[in-house]
Amino acid sequence: MPRTVVTGGAGFLGSHLCEELLALGHEVICIDNLSTGDTLNVAHLTGENFTFIRQDVTNFVTIPGEVDYILHFASPASPVDYLERPIPTLKVGSLGTHNTLGLAKDKGARFLLASTSEVYGDPLVHPQTEDYWGNVNPIGPRGVYDEAKRFAEAMTMAYNRFHGVETRIVRIFNTYGPRMRLNDGRVVPNFIKQALRGEPITVYGDGSQTRSFCYVDDLVRGILALLFSDLDQPCNIGNPNEMTILEFAEAIIRFSNSKSKIVYEDLPEDDPKQRKPDISRAKSLLNWEPSIYLDEGIKKTTAYFKDRV
Ligand code: UDP
């Protein structure tokens, strides 16, 4: 039975990964400091093959026994969260990545880094391919996340080249689904919450900025395909169905039959103007592409939020 560590395992993506890995027959060790994660996300994962450890991977990490895979997903990931926690965000991306890579080296485990489309910053190449180096403001408010993840990628490749650790890097584009926090400040929970309450939908800027939204089940399938592949170069995983934020707001109102009106608020600093993954690499090397349409994914996510608004 493979033994797998998931850092950030009580978070949105981490908890879905723990669940899927258990279903694949792995023993799963979930590490989380619960700064943005929640034990409720893993409360249903009981049994002897699942262990939860409350720990901050910014500090030295030890796990007794063998480990086959390490998935490093610990980090605040919503712009609101990382703006509120700038230094922990920098630390978990840098020190946390170093510690978990050290663990992978010690155990001879394969390491997968959760990276992000934010490494492309406010991109000047569209759609974004993995060979684009990005357009990041290192000293802007989002720099704490973007640069931490860029450092994490550099550290991961250094362990790959210098120590021969087997590594994988997934660049995750906007993802949504059950277990996002209602108040994490990201556009999907914000709009669904506002639509369900009949409150105004807050579009930042004029809403012409674009995003491409991937449903969590598609994303998890892509990440596991990457984990079990031999691809050590970064790989975009996301849904290339691009839309403006204004179109997205209108879609949420339509899907939920809401009476909410759209209001416009200030655009946050350095908010990327466009984002869409080029998924040719994942398609050709992992045989992966998303299959869940926005209306279906939003329906499932809305059902989750209904009990929580
Ligand atoms: N956004 C918005 N209204 C909100 C929250 C976010 O218009 O209530 C916009 C935000 O400015 C950005 C996009 O939606 O252009 C996606 O924001 P999110 O915080 O989900 O993540 P990002 O893709 O910026 O990392």
Side-chain angles (χ1 to χ4, degrees), residues 131-166:
D131 55 10
Y132 176 48
W133 292 350
N135 177 39
V136 170
N137 175 4
I139 57 164
R142 299 174 85 106
V144 298
Y145 184 64
D146 303 9
E147 294 297 1
K149 289 293 188 183
R150 289 169 68 94
F151 175 91
E153 288 200 6
M155 186 62 106
T156 300
M157 290 312 295
Y159 266 68
N160 176 304
R161 295 194 183 103
F162 191 72
H163 288 309
V165 172
E166 279 187 26

Side-chain angles (χ1 to χ4, degrees), residues 114-134:
S115 186
T116 167
S117 54
E118 285 280 325
V119 300
Y120 302 121
D122 190 4
L124 304 175
V125 165
H126 195 72
Q128 292 78 54
T129 47
E130 289 89 349
D131 55 10
Y132 176 48
W133 292 350

Side-chain angles (χ1 to χ4, degrees), residues 66-77:
E66 290 177 14
V67 175
D68 301 291
Y69 301 99
I70 299 172
L71 286 75
H72 182 35
F73 276 70
S75 178

Side-chain angles (χ1 to χ4, degrees), residues 44-305:
H44 62 299
L45 304 180
T46 49
E48 58 185 23
N49 292 335
F50 182 75
T51 311
F52 172 76
I53 302 174
R54 183 167 185 176
Q55 198 190 325
D56 185 341
V57 291
T58 293
N59 304 315
F60 192 75
V61 191
T62 45
I63 301 285
E66 290 177 14
V67 175
D68 301 291
Y69 301 99
I70 299 172
L71 286 75
H72 182 35
F73 276 70
S75 178
S78 139
V80 170
D81 286 337
Y82 54 73
L83 297 188
E84 280 173 3
R85 300 167 176 82
I87 295 167
T89 301
L90 280 159
K91 284 172 74 176
V92 75
S94 54
L95 305 177
T97 303
H98 188 208
N99 288 334
T100 47
L101 276 164
L103 184 68
K105 174 172 164 262
D106 183 45
K107 303 287 185 184
R110 183 175 293 180
F111 179 88
L112 183 141
L113 173 70
S115 186
T116 167
S117 54
E118 285 280 325
V119 300
Y120 302 121
D122 190 4
L124 304 175
V125 165
H126 195 72
Q128 292 78 54
T129 47
E130 289 89 349
D131 55 10
Y132 176 48
W133 292 350
N135 177 39
V136 170
N137 175 4
I139 57 164
R142 299 174 85 106
V144 298
Y145 184 64
D146 303 9
E147 294 297 1
K149 289 293 188 183
R150 289 169 68 94
F151 175 91
E153 288 200 6
M155 186 62 106
T156 300
M157 290 312 295
Y159 266 68
N160 176 304
R161 295 194 183 103
F162 191 72
H163 288 309
V165 172
E166 279 187 26
T167 60
R168 308 285 178 265
I169 296 174
V170 57
R171 292 187 180 150
I172 299 169
F173 283 66
N174 292 68
T175 302
Y176 68 97
R179 300 195 202 132
M180 292 185 99
R181 278 167 27 246
L182 190 63
N183 294 318
D184 86 357
R186 283 189 274 198
V187 69
V188 175
N190 271 11
F191 284 5
I192 294 180
K193 175 178 67 184
Q194 291 159 347
L196 287 174
R197 290 178 179 164
E199 292 171 351
I201 306 276
T202 54
V203 168
Y204 299 161
D206 62 6
S208 63
Q209 70 273 31
T210 68
R211 293 295 186 272
S212 317
F213 297 99
C214 185
Y215 187 66
V216 62
D217 290 1
D218 278 334
L219 188 95
V220 164
R221 193 166 46 79
I223 288 171
L224 294 180
L226 175 63
L227 178 68
F228 301 128
S229 77
D230 57 8
L231 177 63
D232 65 4
Q233 295 303 300
C235 188
N236 291 339
I237 299 285
N239 192 320
N241 177 25
E242 182 186 17
M243 63 186 72
T244 68
I245 290 301
L246 184 57
E247 285 167 346
F248 184 61
E250 288 162 351
I252 296 288
I253 292 173
R254 202 169 53 246
F255 293 155
S256 53
N257 279 321
S258 172
K259 298 202 174 5
S260 290
K261 299 273 172 285
I262 290 171
V263 295
Y264 294 89
E265 295 188 356
D266 289 346
L267 190 67
E269 197 178 335
D270 292 338
D271 198 284
K273 284 183 268 311
Q274 51 182 3
R275 184 183 287 157
K276 169 185 172 158
D278 180 312
I279 59 165
S280 315
R281 183 173 285 178
K283 264 187 181 164
S284 64
L285 300 181
L286 307 179
N287 195 23
W288 175 87
E289 62 182 315
S291 66
I292 297 168
Y293 288 108
L294 188 70
D295 54 349
E296 188 189 342
I298 291 294
K299 211 167 151 191
K300 291 181 178 173
T301 312
T302 304
Y304 173 81
F305 281 132

